[in-house]
């Protein structure tokens, strides 16, 4: 049987082993801060990349002059046919 001395197993060499990270708390804090700064940097770079990509796309509502938006809507409403069916065109020709 394992002997228990002062509430700890005899095999356990350091009863405070789980708290040893506190000895290097400054290093731990520095490492976490560096990771947070790196993540912030990556987020900022990703956002800049998305903004640059948006500038490369042609968006009529944004890139055309004011009156052109209405013209664009009118053009979108036009259909290709002139009201005659394809049979009418074939009969005429």
């Amino acid at each position: 049987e394992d002997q228990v001395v002062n509430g700890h197993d005899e095999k356990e060499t350091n009863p405070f082993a789980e708290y040893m990270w506190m000895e290097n708390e400054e290093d731990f804090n520095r490492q976490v801060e560096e990771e947070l700064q790196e993540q912030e940097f990556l987020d900022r770079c990703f956002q800049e990349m998305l903004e640059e990509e948006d500038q490369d796309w042609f968006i009529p509502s944004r890139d055309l002059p004011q009156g052109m938006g209405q013209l664009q809507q009118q053009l979108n409403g036009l259909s290709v046919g002139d009201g005659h069916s394809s049979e009418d065109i074939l009969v005429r020709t």
Side-chain angles (χ1 to χ4, degrees), residues 25-78:
E25 189 173 2
E26 290 86 19
D27 291 337
F28 177 78
N29 288 341
R30 182 185 46 76
Q31 180 182 0
V32 169
E33 189 173 326
E34 286 176 0
E35 290 172 4
L36 290 173
Q37 288 175 348
E38 182 177 329
Q39 183 62 43
E40 183 181 331
F41 175 74
L42 291 174
D43 290 345
R44 211 171 39 240
C45 288
F46 187 71
Q47 186 62 36
E48 287 177 13
M49 183 183 69
L50 288 176
E51 289 171 2
E52 286 177 10
E53 189 174 283
D54 279 347
Q55 291 174 0
D56 291 342
W57 287 92
F58 176 74
I59 302 172
S61 61
R62 180 191 71 192
D63 297 331
L64 290 176
Q66 284 291 358
M68 295 299 285
Q70 185 179 9
L71 180 61
Q72 181 70 29
Q73 289 176 348
Q74 291 173 351
L75 288 174
N76 289 339
L78 294 177

Side-chain angles (χ1 to χ4, degrees), residues 16-31:
F16 302 104
E18 65 183 282
Y19 302 105
M20 292 306 290
W21 68 270
M22 291 180 176
E23 179 181 3
N24 300 321
E25 189 173 2
E26 290 86 19
D27 291 337
F28 177 78
N29 288 341
R30 182 185 46 76
Q31 180 182 0

